[in-house]
Amino acid sequence: MSTKIEMLKAEFEKEIELCENSEAIEKIRVAYLGKKGKITELLGELKNVPNEEKKAFGQNVNLLKKFAADKIAEQVEIIKKAEEEKLINSAETYDLSLPSSEESGSYHPITLVQREVEEIFASMGFTIEDYVEITDDYHCFEALNIPKHHPARDMQDTYYLDNGQLLKTHTSAAQNAIMKKYGAPLRAIFPGRCFRNESTDACHENTFFQMEGMMIDKDISISNLIYFMKKMLSEVFKQDINVRLRPGFFPFVEPGFELDISCTICGGKGCPSCKNSGWLELCPCGMIHPNVLKAGGIDPEEYTGFAFGLGLTRLAMMRFGVKDIRDLNSGNLKALDQFKHE
Ligand code: FA5
């Protein structure tokens, strides 16, 4: 009987050495170790083995089984490596003699307006700050005088993470961190991507850019706010543009304003881009609420300041005549190609 085991082992070794691919190995595995495999069936012969040899026979068949399984695993690894190497060597090669494409990329229109606005504010002594996209309830709401269950939260639903953090709904979420970083006096702008859980239309996206600005110093007043807003708009549009300022409510400013511009797509007549009103809400602003200054570690008795939240994506629409805000996130290269020479 032991010769039978040895012969089977020799036969297996010979066959496995000849395998050149994974399929062949699998065939061998089934042929020797499968339900009706040659090694498996040897065990069935145990009943015909004389009693005194049964123990040794069983042990030897099990040893052969283990030997075959190990050898198969080893061979699988060798073949896998060889197959990977073959794939790499046969990978598509490039014909370097072909003429190259002369197409070049271009800046996204939002990047273009962002840079313009940054330049304008930098020339007036503002620093440009960066802030995260994922933040927490405190920074996005509570530090901005919007306690839990405040009705103002309904205006800005967002996407929550399992760990309780959230995607920021507005760049105002950075106000507290920047106040704590620099203290007063300070002048800073901070552009960033914002997210809102709301349905989209020609002037609303669920992912869009804003640029926040803050100026805090002694004796800062609404006149300073209006001056900076006018300056920014006249430099961006380089033409007279109708602007209107109306009262607006935001818990983090007092008083607060909505700053709208006349829609540049329809010239103020009314179209889908401005929801047929002729005006587009562009840059709400106001005097920073004393509670917000306090939360940022700044004494409201000593300092005052203004803040604004410019809709950068909407500004790009108005600046470049993009009728539907969704085109700006579409990744449609044909639409974006138009800005190559800006
Ligand atoms: C705010 O986000 C306030 N944080 C702005 C602010 C800052 C007020 C500082 C006072 C002081 P509001 O939700 O209105 O406010 O958004 C500000 C601007 O972002 C809007 O005027 C608009 O231009 C732009 N915006 C808001 N939601 C969207 C949206 N879904 N799609 C595109 N742009 C949007």
Side-chain angles (χ1 to χ4, degrees):
M1 259 310 173
S2 66
T3 9
K4 196 166 182 186
I5 297 176
E6 273 158 26
M7 277 167 63
L8 193 58
K9 185 178 178 198
E11 183 192 325
F12 167 80
E13 278 182 300
K14 207 167 140 194
E15 284 197 36
I16 193 95
E17 288 303 327
L18 294 175
C19 284
E20 285 186 341
N21 53 44
S22 324
E23 288 87 44
I25 295 205
E26 180 57 14
K27 269 191 193 153
I28 297 277
R29 194 191 62 75
V30 174
Y32 284 84
L33 297 174
K35 248 186 187 170
K36 293 193 171 161
K38 292 178 189 174
I39 298 178
T40 320
E41 285 193 337
L42 258 190
L43 277 176
E45 291 184 22
L46 194 63
K47 57 182 181 299
N48 307 324
V49 176
N51 277 349
E52 63 279 12
E53 289 175 28
K54 268 196 171 62
K55 190 175 170 200
F57 179 82
Q59 276 174 349
N60 285 338
V61 175
N62 278 330
L63 281 176
L64 176 60
K65 219 171 145 184
K66 181 166 175 348
F67 170 80
D70 289 350
K71 190 81 188 158
I72 286 172
E74 186 186 304
Q75 204 65 13
V76 163
E77 271 311 300
I78 294 173
I79 288 199
K80 214 165 102 187
K81 268 203 185 126
E83 283 177 345
E84 275 170 10
E85 234 155 76
K86 201 168 148 198
L87 202 71
I88 292 168
N89 293 334
S90 70
E92 196 182 336
T93 46
Y94 295 98
D95 182 352
L96 297 176
S97 65
L98 285 173
S100 67
S101 158
E102 290 185 359
E103 289 291 304
S104 60
S106 56
Y107 285 115
H108 193 281
I110 297 174
T111 308
L112 292 170
V113 285
Q114 177 180 328
R115 289 190 173 181
E116 273 184 50
V117 179
E118 283 176 357
E119 237 173 71
I120 297 164
F121 279 98
S123 74
M124 298 189 287
F126 283 69
T127 60
I128 302 160
E129 306 294 328
D130 205 7
Y131 188 66
V132 293
E133 291 179 354
I134 297 173
T135 185
D136 52 25
D137 191 88
Y138 176 77
H139 288 92
C140 201
F141 301 115
E142 287 192 42
L144 292 167
N145 204 27
I146 313 177
K148 287 200 167 67
H149 313 299
H150 191 289
R153 289 195 177 211
D154 294 348
M155 319 275 290
Q156 298 192 7
D157 188 19
T158 184
Y159 304 93
Y160 289 85
L161 277 67
D162 287 343
N163 66 6
Q165 287 189 299
L166 48 88
L167 301 188
K168 73 172 194 269
T169 54
H170 53 173
T171 40
S172 304
Q175 283 193 11
N176 183 267
I178 288 167
M179 284 183 204
K180 284 179 178 158
K181 183 172 172 193
Y182 293 111
L186 81 82
R187 291 179 187 204
I189 52 168
F190 25 109
R193 201 194 306 262
C194 304
F195 307 86
R196 292 197 193 171
N197 181 12
E198 60 184 32
S199 33
T200 64
D201 60 31
C203 57
H204 288 87
E205 255 292 10
N206 50 28
T207 305
F208 57 97
F209 284 81
Q210 287 185 344
M211 183 181 292
E212 192 89 356
M214 264 194 317
M215 181 173 183
I216 302 173
D217 209 330
K218 293 186 173 159
D219 302 324
I220 296 291
S221 68
I222 296 175
S223 335
N224 299 106
L225 167 64
I226 292 172
Y227 168 81
F228 281 101
M229 294 297 94
K230 271 191 174 165
K231 175 101 177 140
M232 185 252 306
L233 291 173
S234 66
E235 298 233 359
V236 171
F237 287 100
K238 294 182 181 73
Q239 65 182 49
D240 268 349
I241 183 137
N242 286 335
V243 176
R244 77 178 180 191
L245 202 61
R246 58 195 169 91
F249 175 70
F250 301 92
F252 35 98
V253 286
E254 179 56 39
F257 305 98
E258 286 284 2
L259 187 152
D260 307 332
I261 64 165
S262 164
C263 178
T264 58
I265 308 284
C266 59
K269 289 193 195 87
C271 68
S273 310
C274 58
K275 280 198 178 161
N276 295 312
S277 70
W279 294 95
L280 203 73
E281 284 176 13
L282 184 70
C283 187
C285 48
M287 300 304 293
I288 303 175
H289 195 287
N291 288 350
V292 177
L293 289 172
K294 249 188 253 165
I298 294 175
D299 181 0
E301 299 291 329
E302 199 178 353
Y303 291 100
T304 50
F306 68 76
F308 62 86
L310 171 67
L312 212 50
T313 307
R314 283 209 189 147
L315 182 61
M317 279 175 82
M318 293 295 110
R319 171 79 168 70
F320 296 118
V322 178
K323 288 190 180 137
D324 194 313
I325 196 167
R326 290 165 291 198
D327 287 341
L328 292 171
N329 272 2
S330 71
N332 176 351
L333 290 183
K334 271 196 188 141
L336 300 176
D337 257 3
Q338 304 166 51
F339 303 99
K340 241 180 198 164
H341 304 295
E342 288 290 341

